[in-house]
Amino acid sequence: DRRAKDRLKAIGEWMELNGRAIYGCTEAPSEFKAPYGTILTYNPGTKRLYAILTTYPLKALSVDFDDRIAFAQFLHDGSELKVVPARDSNNQGGEMRLPGAIALPVVKPDVELPVIEITLKD
């Protein structure tokens, strides 16, 4: 069936670019909460966390573990992504805590499910 072959080809192409998020990976440790619209995987050998974006967020991916991130990049092209630390903000008479985030391009990359590779601090 042509449709099945097309789908298998697309999966193979995605795996070629993003296989590091799958091979050798397990479920992310419980200390890392998966942000909305993501699946987190973890490679214990390389100590890297992978966020598979099932829903592409607008401008940033909020994370509650920003203080643990040493480096973040897209797997499909290796482009670096800026990590924005959590911070306090005065907002018209009240203080609020803004979560940490990984800044993203406004336009979704041309891959079915973009993957962010996160190198954790020691």
Side-chain angles (χ1 to χ4, degrees):
D1 179 336
R2 178 192 51 79
R3 291 175 299 167
K5 287 180 181 178
D6 289 346
R7 194 71 220 141
L8 285 172
K9 181 181 177 199
I11 291 168
E13 289 170 355
W14 185 88
M15 287 296 290
E16 198 171 302
L17 297 172
N18 299 291
R20 290 195 317 235
I22 306 297
Y23 297 117
C25 288
T26 64
E27 175 179 18
S30 60
E31 65 196 84
F32 298 104
K33 185 176 178 248
Y36 173 80
T38 68
I39 299 167
L40 287 183
T41 62
Y42 177 72
N43 186 315
T46 62
K47 296 185 179 166
R48 291 211 163 86
L49 192 64
Y50 297 92
I52 302 168
L53 305 179
T54 58
T55 302
Y56 194 77
L58 181 62
K59 296 187 183 179
L61 177 67
S62 293
V63 293
D64 62 358
F65 49 87
D66 55 288
D67 57 333
R68 303 278 311 273
I69 300 173
F71 183 78
Q73 69 178 358
F74 275 129
L75 270 186
H76 70 278
D77 66 0
S79 58
E80 182 176 356
L81 300 169
K82 181 180 179 184
V83 178
V84 181
R87 62 194 182 284
D88 293 322
S89 173
N90 275 332
N91 188 3
Q92 295 186 348
E95 268 198 35
M96 62 188 272
R97 183 84 175 150
L98 298 175
I102 298 172
L104 298 173
V106 174
V107 177
K108 178 183 176 268
D110 191 23
V111 288
E112 186 73 28
L113 296 173
V115 177
I116 300 171
E117 180 180 54
I118 300 166
T119 303
L120 299 170
K121 294 178 182 175
D122 288 328

